[in-house]
Amino acid sequence: MSRKIIRNGRIVTAVDDYTADLLVDDGRIVAIGRSLDAGPDAAVIDATGLLVLPGGVDCHTHMDNTFGDSTTCDSFESGTRSAAFGGTTTIVDFAFQRKEVSVLEAIARAQAKGVEGACIDYGFHVIVTAVDDQALADMQHAIRHEGVSSFKMFMAYPGSVMVDDAAIFRAMRMVGQHGGMIALHAENGTIIELLIQEALAQGHTAPKYHALTRPALMEGEATHRGIKLAELADAPVYFVHLSAKEALKHVIEARDMGVPVFAETCPHYLFFDESAYDSEDFDLARYVMSPPLRSKESQQALWTALRTDDLQLVSTDHCPFCMKEGHLGRVNQKPYGRDDFSKIPNGVPGVETRMATLYDGGVRSGRISLNRFVELTSTAPSKLFGLFPRKGTIAVGSDADLVLFDPGAQHVISANTQHGNCDFTLFEGRSVTGRVSKVLLRGELIVDGEHWLGKTGSGRYVPRGESGGW
């Protein structure tokens, strides 16, 4: 039945908290009220004792993305199914402009992957690795006609995806004038590359040296530089996966001055710290991500910034590579760098655990409110990246992307019970309270407890409006 009524749930948005019924028809929310009359043809879902939340929006995932010689182990199908079980109903993934692939061709290729495999709704940022007049024209066209209004650029990985400051400035200036936003991976790539080569020359090959050669100061320096480029371009800027207090302080200072600077952090920075690297064991490769885990002081600063809106949202940077080479046929995974830490694929899984861990470690611990939880995981990413109010809230006319969440359910996180292709989770063995019970995508029940009711390819591409205008 396309017509459904969700009765007696506690509806929570970024600003509201009340008990009511929700009437859903043709994929949209059509009425909200008490004791609604849905008619005899409506399927009834009893949400008594459950939170009814807007579907999660994760604006930083890497499904079937290739970096160097390695490809992430989650396909669009497996990754979006895993996201759904975690309470996420929309992702913004990446199209990849390379030397032989234009911006518009990159978008078309990415859309083809989504059409074939996506189980939830999706959009794309474009990773831009070369800026010339044609690329700028394509980016402008993408904003106006393709529903792609954000573009990621790297200040790290020289010789691969890193672009120079002039390219970033040119892109920022044009994109900002046309309602778009540049997202920056902010680390000083040339200094980091020097430190990497020095470490390898000294015989340091263990995974811990990934962290030791990517110091927090170099994230701080690049963040400050990116802010100044955005100021000069008179454009908004967004910093992905912010991890260090040395970077956060520049974001806070700029926002206090009224500069349109936005930033995300990720669950792994909120729940793990650099003490994880206290070993030469290769098993530490599971903690190899960029930027690496930071200090306890940085972790506390991130939590404070989430509460005060100095950080705007929590995304996952879901970029999974397996710890066992050949798992499910995946090659060049984490063991690819067994003898050279610089070859370990950078990234960790997280799309299925984001909502539960942030609820347990944030809301239940008193670090953030329930309304703020919804804002961080759904509303803010929707507003910043042009999806609101179709996504990110519970309102008449919005898509019926809904999560029925049991705030008292306890469970233990394990890779064995996850629904993606990765063979590990950083949260292995962690007991959490709060669990996704049911998930609706545009009014269709796709997750019911442990049962998958969704369909491969049923996710829709969502054209986005202006980014960074919030």
Side-chain angles (χ1 to χ4, degrees), residues 220-467:
E221 183 277 330
T223 301
H224 180 258
R225 183 159 35 101
I227 290 170
K228 293 305 173 186
L229 293 173
E231 283 190 83
L232 185 62
D234 192 23
V237 62
Y238 181 86
F239 290 96
V240 297
H241 49 49
L242 191 143
S243 68
K245 59 183 175 59
E246 290 84 350
L248 178 61
K249 72 174 183 179
H250 295 299
V251 170
I252 294 173
E253 289 171 358
R255 288 178 61 80
D256 286 347
M257 293 171 58
V259 181
V261 176
F262 309 99
E264 67 182 27
T265 193
C266 307
H268 39 271
Y269 302 123
L270 296 171
F271 294 103
F272 302 91
D273 63 75
E274 62 190 4
S275 64
Y277 300 119
D278 289 344
S279 168
E280 296 276 335
D281 192 340
F282 186 76
D283 189 61
L284 267 60
R286 70 184 58 233
Y287 297 105
V288 168
M289 78 286 286
S290 294
L293 301 175
R294 301 300 192 188
S295 66
K296 279 284 191 183
E297 291 78 15
S298 284
Q299 187 181 82
Q300 183 55 52
L302 296 177
W303 277 111
T304 300
L306 288 176
R307 188 169 61 251
T308 59
D309 200 40
D310 288 314
L311 288 174
Q312 283 64 60
L313 57 98
V314 178
S315 63
T316 60
D317 190 11
H318 179 81
C319 190
F321 299 95
C322 296
M323 284 297 293
K324 293 186 286 291
E325 185 66 20
H327 180 69
L328 299 180
R330 270 54 182 181
V331 298
N332 296 338
Q333 299 293 292
K334 294 284 189 178
Y336 187 61
R338 184 172 293 278
D339 300 317
D340 179 347
F341 71 87
S342 69
K343 294 182 179 179
I344 299 171
N346 292 195
V348 296
V351 75
E352 191 167 339
T353 53
R354 177 180 67 139
M355 302 282 275
T357 55
L358 192 62
Y359 178 84
D360 182 70
V363 178
R364 291 189 68 251
S365 69
R367 287 170 164 145
I368 56 174
S369 70
L370 185 54
N371 295 112
R372 182 63 175 160
F373 167 77
V374 172
E375 187 168 24
L376 293 170
T377 57
S378 183
T379 310
S382 296
K383 287 183 174 180
L384 272 174
F385 290 103
L387 291 164
F388 190 86
R390 179 175 177 181
K391 308 291 187 182
T393 193
I394 296 175
V396 172
S398 296
D399 281 359
D401 297 345
L402 302 167
V403 176
L404 277 59
F405 190 87
D406 187 340
Q410 291 184 313
H411 62 110
V412 176
I413 297 172
S414 173
N416 293 329
T417 56
Q418 299 279 287
H419 298 84
N421 286 343
C422 199
D423 61 352
F424 77 95
T425 168
L426 295 185
F427 294 96
E428 185 69 40
R430 182 184 292 253
S431 177
V432 297
T433 299
R435 189 173 194 175
V436 171
S437 177
K438 299 179 189 293
V439 178
L440 287 82
L441 175 68
R442 286 178 273 104
E444 295 300 316
L445 188 63
I446 61 173
V447 171
D448 188 1
E450 285 301 312
H451 300 289
W452 173 243
L453 305 178
K455 296 179 181 178
T456 300
S458 63
R460 294 179 184 173
Y461 174 69
V462 186
R464 296 183 289 117
E466 294 187 1
S467 286

